[in-house]
Amino acid sequence: MLVSYITHLSWELVWLLMHEAIGEARNEIWAYTWWAYIDGGDMRYFEPEINFMMIEILSVINGSLGLTGLWLLFRSRFQDYRGTLLCMSTGVTHTVLTWYYYGTEALSGFESVNVESFFDLWVKFIFLNGPWLVFPWLVLYWGSRLLPVQLASATRESD
């Protein structure tokens, strides 16, 4: 979860704030991490449309909510059910946004991804985004196991 939230609040947030400068800095060392992905991975990061920008905005919001959830959990020694609920909600959002991300590209005939290259399609586009379809289910499972214990504890404390 932490890696996901940090990614949202670093790579994606910086891209949102600086996507125009990044697009103009193809050969600049500071923009390398984005251009390594743009080159064949997904050209939507080079010339983003408004719906794509919204995906990234929602991802940054999701990362903020997730970090808040983790903060609540660590602060309470994993007793605060609100932190668990926030982390679980990020899992749902990750899954929906990732299917939208994959689906819009597939329905457009992969116009933004270099499908001629195994590396660009399968590694950069599919594999690097795949964890956002797998790990949310693990977070939901983890939360479903932790939440009853937290809620029982909260009920005892309120009595």
Side-chain angles (χ1 to χ4, degrees):
M1 289 185 290
L2 186 59
V3 170
S4 171
Y5 305 147
I6 288 172
T7 299
H8 294 313
L9 296 173
S10 60
W11 197 88
E12 291 172 345
L13 178 59
V14 173
W15 178 82
L16 273 172
L17 298 174
M18 300 183 59
H19 64 276
E20 291 175 359
I22 291 167
E24 296 171 1
R26 183 179 192 140
N27 296 317
E28 301 292 330
I29 193 73
W30 69 267
Y32 175 79
T33 56
W34 293 276
W35 272 100
Y37 190 76
I38 292 169
D39 278 337
D42 194 335
M43 287 300 290
R44 292 181 287 185
Y45 284 97
F46 178 62
E47 294 178 338
E49 293 181 9
I50 199 72
N51 65 336
F52 189 73
M53 295 284 292
M54 193 62 206
I55 290 175
E56 296 302 316
I57 289 168
L58 291 171
S59 291
V60 169
I61 292 169
N62 207 39
S64 300
L65 291 174
L67 274 181
T68 302
L70 286 178
W71 178 77
L72 287 169
L73 286 169
F74 281 108
R75 186 186 73 163
S76 70
R77 297 183 188 185
F78 285 81
Q79 298 303 307
D80 193 333
Y81 65 90
R82 298 172 304 168
T84 302
L85 289 172
L86 281 173
C87 290
M88 291 174 76
S89 73
T90 67
V92 173
T93 304
H94 276 125
T95 303
V96 171
L97 289 176
T98 305
W99 278 118
Y100 183 83
Y101 176 76
Y102 278 150
T104 55
E105 188 59 22
L107 291 172
S108 74
F110 293 97
E111 65 184 19
S112 302
V113 178
N114 179 8
V115 295
E116 303 295 319
S117 166
F118 175 85
F119 185 76
D120 290 344
L121 176 63
W122 291 100
V123 175
K124 288 183 181 177
F125 185 72
I126 302 293
F127 180 73
L128 289 179
N129 292 294
W132 275 263
L133 291 178
V134 176
F135 289 108
W137 296 104
L138 298 176
V139 171
L140 291 171
Y141 176 76
W142 162 81
S144 73
R145 306 285 293 178
L146 183 58
L147 202 51
V149 174
Q150 292 171 326
L151 291 173
S153 176
T155 303
R156 281 191 306 274
E157 289 175 10
S158 67
D159 289 340

